[in-house]
Amino acid sequence: MIRFVTSNRGKFEEAKRILNGVDLVWERMEYREVQADTNREVAIQSLRELKGMVKDPFFLEDSGLYIDALNGFPGPYSSYTFKKIGCKGILKLMEDIEDRRAYFTSVIAAFIDGKEILVEGTVRGRIAEGERGGGWGFDPIFEPDGAGGLTFGELGERKDLFSHRGLALRRFLRVLRDLKYI
Ligand code: IMP
């Protein structure tokens, strides 16, 4: 059994699908996130903060959307930015900007048998011209490379094949296997 500490249902559902064969428990809680320039730093600090509060083994995930033309904004502030301005706000910021390139990064930080483990996944893509499809967060406005121009939102569960979280979680699954955890 391993606990996934998150308040985000979308993240948990993706983890449940991808970590096949793992006894995954949703530790549904919010935790304080430090301000930092990278998701990696946020993930490590959050992990250390949670160590005394959540039972080993557990993991958390920190992710963000980095838009090239906006110098990487919103990056580690993606959750805050989504809450404040949403997809519409990003589309507005991107009005008249031709360079739509962006990437998503996911960092998984785990604490297993007293050891810290870190894995990451990144997917490049572009910001769509409008919102398409469902999903959560910025799913309707992100088109991952290689998906024929469909957004995460339009891809449904096929998002896992392309997404930053899909990559990171599959790497994490391999780590769990190597540790003879599953
Ligand atoms: P955090 O990892 O909880 O700090 O939040 C990351 C934020 O980035 C989320 O609240 C979303 O707004 C955005 N985000 C991260 N991954 C995804 C994704 O797979 N789809 C859509 N939005 C995402």
Side-chain angles (χ1 to χ4, degrees):
M1 187 271 280
I2 187 161
R3 297 175 181 82
F4 182 12
V5 186
T6 181
S7 58
N8 183 322
R9 176 180 296 276
K11 284 188 184 184
F12 181 75
E13 280 171 1
E14 289 173 25
K16 190 88 197 145
R17 291 201 294 264
I18 296 163
L19 295 180
N20 221 319
V22 177
D23 180 8
L24 193 64
V25 170
W26 187 4
E27 191 79 37
R28 193 174 183 175
M29 64 183 263
E30 301 234 14
Y31 50 87
R32 197 168 58 94
E33 281 186 13
V34 293
Q35 283 196 358
D37 284 347
T38 63
N39 291 112
R40 198 186 166 91
E41 263 176 85
V42 176
I44 294 171
Q45 293 301 327
S46 303
L47 183 74
R48 296 191 177 151
E49 190 139 320
L50 285 174
K51 261 183 199 172
M53 293 156 66
V54 182
K55 273 201 204 126
D56 181 339
F58 73 89
F59 69 97
L60 57 91
E61 191 258 13
D62 200 77
S63 44
L65 173 66
Y66 293 73
I67 301 175
D68 291 11
L70 305 179
N71 292 326
F73 178 84
Y77 307 105
S78 294
S79 158
Y80 179 78
T81 305
F82 182 77
K83 275 185 218 138
K84 292 289 175 191
I85 64 170
C87 289
K88 288 194 174 49
I90 294 291
L91 289 174
K92 188 124 190 86
L93 288 175
M94 293 298 287
E95 248 172 31
D96 304 324
I97 296 182
E98 227 169 275
D99 179 6
R100 317 286 298 184
R101 287 174 302 166
Y103 65 90
F104 259 120
T105 285
S106 160
V107 181
I108 292 174
F111 194 56
I112 301 177
D113 294 333
K115 275 200 305 266
E116 290 181 3
I117 293 159
L118 219 65
V119 289
E120 305 186 25
T122 293
V123 59
R124 291 213 56 98
R126 67 185 294 282
I127 303 298
E129 277 73 19
E131 290 180 65
R132 298 196 319 270
W136 58 277
F138 296 117
D139 277 354
I141 58 165
F142 185 78
E143 301 171 358
D145 285 350
L150 296 179
T151 63
F152 272 168
E154 292 174 303
L155 284 164
E157 294 194 2
R158 278 189 300 147
K159 169 187 177 183
D160 300 345
L161 304 173
F162 300 93
S163 79
H164 49 314
R165 191 165 300 101
L167 269 169
L169 284 165
R170 285 191 293 275
R171 286 187 180 136
F172 188 49
L173 196 58
R174 284 200 287 277
V175 172
L176 292 176
R177 284 205 188 102
D178 289 348
L179 289 173
K180 309 269 180 267
Y181 197 80
I182 45 168

